[in-house]
Amino acid sequence: MATLPRPTRIEVLGLLAILALAALTRLPGLDARGAFDADQGHDMLVLTGMLHGDIPLLGPPTSIGTFHHGAVYYYLLAPAVALSGPDPVAVMGWIALLGIGAVAATWWLARLIGGPGAAVAAGVLAAVSPSGIDESTFIWNPNLIPVAAALAFAGALHAWQTRSPRWWLLAATGAMVTMQCHVLGVVVLPPLAGAYLWDVRRQRHEGGAVRPLVRAGLGGLAIIAASYVPLLVHELGNDFSETRAILDYLAGGGRAASAGLLERVALVGLRSVTWPLTGLITDRPTVSIVVAVAAVTLMAIAAAGGVPHRAGVRWLLATLAWSVVALAAFAPSLAVVTPGLPNDHYHAYLDPLVIALTGAGLARLAGLGTRVGARGATLTGVDDGAQTRVRRRDRPRPGTVLAGAVVVVLVGVAVTAWPPAVSPDGGWRVARDDAHNVEVAAAGEPYVLVGLPELKSLDALRFPLRQLGADPPGPAALASQGGPRLLIIVCDPVLEPIIGAACGGAAESAWLAVHGLVAQPSGTVTPTGPRRVTSTWRVP
C-alpha cells in the first residue's frame, strides 16, 4: 500500500482549527474545573517533594492499595512544577496541553488508516469528546494515557507504512508511558509486539534489511526496561515489597468478579466504545447504546474496505477486541459503575482507537454513492430539432450527506455530555479555601487532623495546609501526653455507605466512641464543597 502524501496546507490549517477548539474546551477555569481530592493532593505532595530532591521510585498507589503504578508519571509532570512551583493549576495546565496533544495524535492515527477525511472527523470528535475534556482538566495518572497510546499506535502504523524502523521507537515510548501510568496498560504490548514481528517477517520475506528493524526493536525494549529502573531500585532496597504485593494479590484471585466473564466482556466493550463519544454510560444509557451501535457500524464499514489502510483498520479492531476481553478478565470492577468516582480509566488507552476507527468509518461512508451529475458535464438532447447543451449542477453523494449528519449528531451528543464548568467537589479552589477555613477554626492552636472514613487519605487538605505552613499530626498524637487536645474531623459524605453513618455528627460520634475518646463538639466549619464536612472537637 502506498504511503499517504504529506498533509496539505489546507489539512494543516484544519488541524490548527481543531486544536484551537480543543484548547477552548480544556484550558479555561482549571482552578475550579478539575476535581481535587485525595489522589490529587497526594500527587501534588510528591511533586513538591521532587522540588526538594526527593525523587519518587514508585508512582501513585493503585486502587487495590497494596502496590503502585509507575514513577514515570511523576517525571512527566515534573516540568510543570519546575517551571511554576507547586501550583496545581500549572500541573493541570500541563495535563491539558497533553490532552490537546492527544487530539493531534488521534488526528494523525485516523489519517494513517482512513486518509484526510477520517483525520478531520476524528479530530473534531476528539476535540469535543466529553471523556477527552474530562481527562484533560484534573490531576490523575490515567489522564496521560490517551496521548501516549495514540502515539504508540500511530508510530507503529507509520513505521509499517513508511518502512522506517525508527518509528518503532515512538511506538515503544508510547507503550512505556501507557504502562507506567496504569498497571493494566501492559495490555497494549501484545498488539504492538505482534505488529512489530509481522514487520520483521515482511522484511525477511521481501529480502529487505532486517538489521535496522532488530536494532529498533532492541531500542524499544531498552526504553521500556529503563522505565522500570526506579522500581528495581525500590525493590532492591525494600525486600521486593511491590513484587510480593502483586504476587499476593494474584494468589488471592484478585478482585472478586460481580458478573460472569461473558457479561463483563459485553459491559466492557460497551463502555469502551461509548466512553470517548458519550461519556459515562449510566448517565444516558439509551443514547449511549444507540451511539455504540452507530460507532460499531462505522467501524465495520471501514473494515470492509475502501480506506487507505484496510489492514491498519483491522489491526486496530483486533486490538480493541483483545483489550475488551483482557480487561474483562483482569479488571472485573469494570462491571460496576460507582457514582461520584472515576470509573473508566482502565480503558483510557482505547479512546483514540475508538475515535480514529469511527472517523475512518465516517470517511468511508462519505465516499459511498455516486454522483447524479458532474459539474460542467455536457449532455446532448433534442429540442425542436436543435441540439442543445445541458449543464447539471453537482449533487452531493448520498454517503456524504449521511456522514455529515452523523458527525453533527455525534458532536451534539458529545457536547451535551461535557463535564460541568465547575467540578462537583469545587476543585482546587475549594480545597484551598477549606484548608484556610480549618486554619481559621484552629485559631492558632495545635490540632489533630482525622479523616472519615479512615481508609481515605486527607492529602486533599494536607497539601494546601502545608502551603499555609501547617502540618497537623494524625489521631495517634492524641495518645501522647501533652499532645494537642483540639480535634478536627473531616468526613466525606460520598463515602457514607462505607462509614455506616452520616457526616456532620453521627459519623464523628461513632468514630470517637470506637476509639474510646470523650470529646465535646466545639464548632462546625461550613463546608465549601460536597466532599468535606469538617467539624471541631475538644478532648479533655
Side-chain angles (χ1 to χ4, degrees):
M1 191 214 75
T3 303
L4 283 172
R6 295 173 64 88
T8 64
R9 181 177 299 179
I10 295 298
E11 285 186 81
V12 173
L13 291 175
L15 173 60
L16 292 176
I18 289 170
L19 295 182
L21 174 62
L24 287 173
T25 58
R26 286 160 173 79
L27 290 174
L30 288 175
D31 64 330
R33 192 171 180 184
F36 196 91
D37 203 18
D39 291 334
Q40 291 71 45
H42 173 270
D43 290 349
M44 285 307 305
L45 288 171
V46 173
L47 292 170
T48 302
M50 292 180 70
L51 290 175
H52 300 97
D54 187 7
I55 306 301
L57 300 177
L58 299 176
T62 64
S63 57
I64 312 296
T66 55
F67 51 92
H68 296 74
H69 301 292
V72 169
Y73 162 67
Y74 290 130
Y75 306 157
L76 292 172
L77 296 184
V81 293
L83 293 172
S84 303
D87 181 2
V89 177
V91 177
M92 285 185 275
W94 187 258
I95 293 175
L97 292 177
L98 292 174
I100 296 168
V103 174
T106 303
W107 177 93
W108 182 30
L109 179 62
R111 189 177 187 275
L112 289 171
I113 61 172
V120 172
V124 171
L125 292 178
V128 301
S129 167
S131 66
I133 294 171
D134 182 57
E135 291 163 348
S136 300
T137 52
F138 71 106
I139 303 167
W140 207 33
N141 50 293
N143 293 346
L144 276 58
I145 289 177
V147 63
L151 291 174
F153 288 100
L157 280 169
H158 197 63
W160 176 271
Q161 292 180 16
T162 61
R163 300 174 184 267
S164 179
R166 69 178 183 272
W167 290 100
W168 284 110
L169 298 177
L170 175 62
T173 301
M176 177 272 291
V177 173
T178 301
M179 294 162 61
Q180 285 282 308
C181 286
H182 200 285
V183 292
L184 283 176
V186 70
V187 176
V188 304
L189 269 186
L192 290 169
Y196 168 77
L197 293 174
W198 191 260
D199 198 9
V200 172
R201 180 182 181 275
R202 178 183 66 169
Q203 282 292 92
R204 285 179 175 167
H205 180 72
E206 296 177 355
V210 177
R211 186 171 296 178
L213 262 176
V214 173
R215 285 199 298 265
L218 293 175
L221 286 176
I223 289 170
I224 293 173
S227 70
Y228 288 95
V229 169
L231 173 62
L232 178 61
V233 173
H234 172 273
E235 294 293 80
L236 292 174
N238 293 273
D239 193 25
F240 290 88
S241 60
E242 288 286 300
T243 303
R244 288 187 289 104
I246 293 173
L247 293 176
D248 289 344
Y249 173 74
L250 295 175
R255 286 184 171 177
S258 58
L261 180 59
L262 291 180
E263 182 181 349
R264 298 204 306 273
V265 167
L267 289 170
V268 172
L270 188 60
R271 292 178 67 171
S272 299
V273 172
T274 57
W275 171 241
L277 299 173
T278 69
L280 190 60
I281 188 172
T282 52
D283 290 344
R284 296 180 300 175
T286 302
V287 171
S288 295
I289 291 173
V290 171
V291 169
V293 171
V296 170
T297 301
L298 289 169
M299 294 178 192
I301 291 173
V307 294
H309 199 332
R310 184 182 181 186
V313 169
R314 292 187 170 185
W315 175 56
L316 293 184
L317 280 172
T319 299
L320 181 60
W322 146 255
S323 300
V324 166
V325 174
L327 291 174
F330 297 114
S333 60
L334 275 171
V336 179
V337 176
T338 305
L341 297 176
N343 288 277
D344 289 272
H345 52 288
Y346 296 99
H347 50 76
Y349 72 91
L350 293 177
D351 293 359
L353 275 65
V354 168
I355 293 175
L357 287 167
T358 302
L362 286 166
R364 176 59 184 141
L365 179 62
L368 296 177
T370 57
R371 293 178 186 271
V372 176
R375 184 176 299 279
T378 301
L379 303 178
T380 302
V382 178
D383 183 13
D384 294 331
Q387 198 173 43
T388 60
R389 298 167 65 86
V390 181
R391 297 173 63 87
R392 287 189 180 178
R393 299 179 55 128
D394 278 348
R395 296 184 185 178
R397 301 178 183 183
T400 303
V401 175
L402 180 57
V406 173
V407 169
V408 170
V409 170
L410 290 177
V411 169
V413 168
V415 170
T416 56
W418 280 357
V422 176
S423 171
D425 72 351
W428 163 241
R429 185 188 301 171
V430 166
R432 181 186 56 204
D433 291 346
D434 282 352
H436 174 74
N437 291 339
V438 166
E439 282 292 283
V440 170
E445 180 180 349
Y447 61 93
V448 169
L449 192 64
V450 174
L452 297 179
E454 292 183 276
L455 58 85
K456 181 185 176 181
S457 164
L458 279 174
D459 287 343
L461 276 182
R462 288 200 176 278
F463 171 70
L465 283 172
R466 289 188 185 179
Q467 286 199 319
L468 295 172
D471 191 12
L478 292 171
S480 62
Q481 293 292 331
R485 311 322 290 168
L486 181 64
L487 183 61
I488 295 183
I489 302 179
V490 183
C491 188
D492 186 350
V494 172
L495 300 180
E496 284 178 353
I498 296 176
I499 301 170
C503 295
E508 294 81 355
S509 297
W511 182 87
L512 290 167
V514 167
H515 289 80
L517 295 173
V518 178
Q520 296 298 321
S522 60
T524 300
V525 179
T526 302
T528 314
R531 296 304 300 272
R532 286 176 288 273
V533 174
T534 308
S535 55
T536 60
W537 303 73
R538 189 165 297 280
V539 179

